[in-house]
Amino acid sequence: MPEPQAARRPERVRTTALWATALAATVAAVAAAVVAWEAGLGQETARIAEIPVIAACSGIGALILTSRPGQPVGRALLTGGAGWGLASLPVELLVVEVSRTEGRVAATLLAVAFTVRGLGWLVLAVVLPLVFPDGADGKSRWWLRLAGADLAVFAAMMLAQPVLIDDRLTDEPNPLGLPLDRQPVTDAAALVVVALGVACVVAGLVAVAGRWRSGTPLVRQQVGWFAAGLVVTLAAIGLLVSGVDAAPVFALGVAALPIAVGFAVLQHRLYEVDLLVNRALLYLLLTSAVVAVYVLVVAGAGAMLDERGAGWLPWVATAVVAVAVQPLREAIQGAVNRMTYGAWDEPQTVVRSLHTRLADAASPEHALPDVVAALRDALHLAHLSVNGIDGTLLASAGGPPGAGARRLPLVHGGVTVGELTVDGGRRRRRDDRVREELAAALAPAVQAARLRSDLVRSRERLVVAREEERKRLRRDLHDGLGPALAGLTLKLDTARNLLGDDPLLREMRADVQATITDVRRIVDGLRPVALDELGLVESLRRLVDRAPSGGPAVRLVAEEADSPAAAVELAAYRIVQEALTNVLRHSGAGECEVRVQGDDGTLVVRVSDDGRGPAALDRRTGSGLETMRERAEELGGSLELLDRPGGGTVVRAVLPRNPA
């Protein structure tokens, strides 16, 4: 028992330190408000309004770090809230002291306290969006470094101010600051701080929006909470900027953002917030549009008619707004729906896009993955997949399907040909019709893919059976008929020796020799003799050794492995033969490498040279490249013509070692 307690002691110390910091920041904020209120020098309302914001930031930060140590969002919230809150009390105490006396030490400490407090809220503004929800990634890391530079410039600017920045102190000199005639230097630094801060905030919001578009359903819900909190915060800030004395509203509105961030990061009871985000965006944009229309009508009509103060202008503006509000609402609702839900309200557009993609594709099985991915993005689904009637996965996009996934049969011509699995998206009853239309549109493609797959497998079986039969015939002709004819020749020679050089026997012997020649020609045409006698690797070695001495140096790299099927051996041999012919005739290469290796049930054949490249080869080889590709594809394999690093051409064929 002592060991587990000792192991838990650092964890308890860390948790205690986190919550002590959050509590100290909140208590300091409350104490700062009390000091400001009693001093009566101003900003009492602002100090009171800051209390819930500081408590929310530091408390949520401590809660996140307690459950998820080292979480970047928790660090940003606790650092910003603690810096803001803990510095607030010294600021208020020192402002009172400096306003009553001329103490140099108090002024110096006040300059430092101002800087720490400012760094607190600047961390919340520029760092938090960049690290939400799980830390900075990609370009956000670069912006995070820029945010660090912004914090450094801000600290230097605050400490270098010639006078202390507080409207309660009149031209109080800063003992740490520059001379008063250097004020333009600190003003320029302030502009740099603002520019860098705005750039970091915009970059953070863009990164958050990117996570919404490409993230998993969980990430989309997290971003939804962030967006909802941000809308409330912006509305509260708007009240403050407008001059309305709404400190409590501002305080609660700004505190809504860290609370929403806490819900998102902790993944605690993450309800579907799409509706909340949808309605918040709708009413925010609609209100902005109505206000803009009202202002434009009043200002525009007044300017045109020179009747800016006319009492009838508001009535006209109200009438215009009344007429325009419904079209505006429908247009904005459609745009917001597309952003938050996807294209569920435009099923015909989705289905037309699906048909277009399938029609433009070279084959259905190649188009299905792209179509499924596009549909998943268009409808903001968590998972979308298509399975064949035998359960084979044909295409899939998104994460694994959840327990609530819908499964719809794909029916074509009255026959079930597969299954469509849909997880996520809207849950309205009318959206079931959209899912059914998607299933109806995908069914013919799945049936076509199945038929083509069956056709390909049948062709593979025919090719394999053909080559096996050729191999058997070549063996029978070579080992059976060939020796029999050779024996007949010996018997005719014996007859001639006994009976003399009879013209009939001479003619019979010539006929037998001609038949032997024909049999050898037929045997060689069925399959290269070396393949059956020596195997694929040794046959390729002989092929490479026969390369002319005046051409490129050709070498073979082959691994020892089990012999592939007869059809695969022949395809690999013919592909190498054709590729070497192209290298010798058209590439102008100095070196060529033939590489054959097995890889997870496949045979990879690679012929590379350092010649002119694929463009020259493709122009001059006629049907040779197409013949090689057909040999690979009829076995279910593939062939590529690639650029060789450093110049030259690579012909790469991937063949199944033992096709069906």
Side-chain angles (χ1 to χ4, degrees), residues 262-335:
F263 271 98
V265 173
L266 293 172
Q267 303 173 16
H268 176 63
R269 296 181 68 187
L270 278 177
Y271 299 117
E272 293 288 342
V273 295
D274 286 352
L275 182 61
L276 175 62
V277 174
N278 184 283
R279 293 296 181 262
L281 289 175
L282 171 63
Y283 292 125
L284 178 64
L285 295 176
L286 183 60
T287 301
S288 302
V290 168
V291 171
V293 170
Y294 189 92
V295 171
L296 286 175
V297 171
V298 172
M304 292 175 59
L305 302 175
D306 198 19
E307 294 284 347
R308 290 185 175 84
W312 53 268
L313 278 175
W315 294 99
V316 173
T318 302
V320 172
V321 168
V323 173
V325 68
Q326 184 60 25
L328 281 173
R329 182 189 180 282
E330 292 178 355
I332 294 173
Q333 180 73 75

Side-chain angles (χ1 to χ4, degrees), residues 467-478:
E467 294 307 323
E468 291 294 341
E469 183 64 15
R470 284 186 171 187
K471 183 177 181 180
R472 186 188 65 79
L473 287 174
R474 196 207 70 80
R475 184 174 61 249
D476 290 346
L477 291 174
H478 183 270

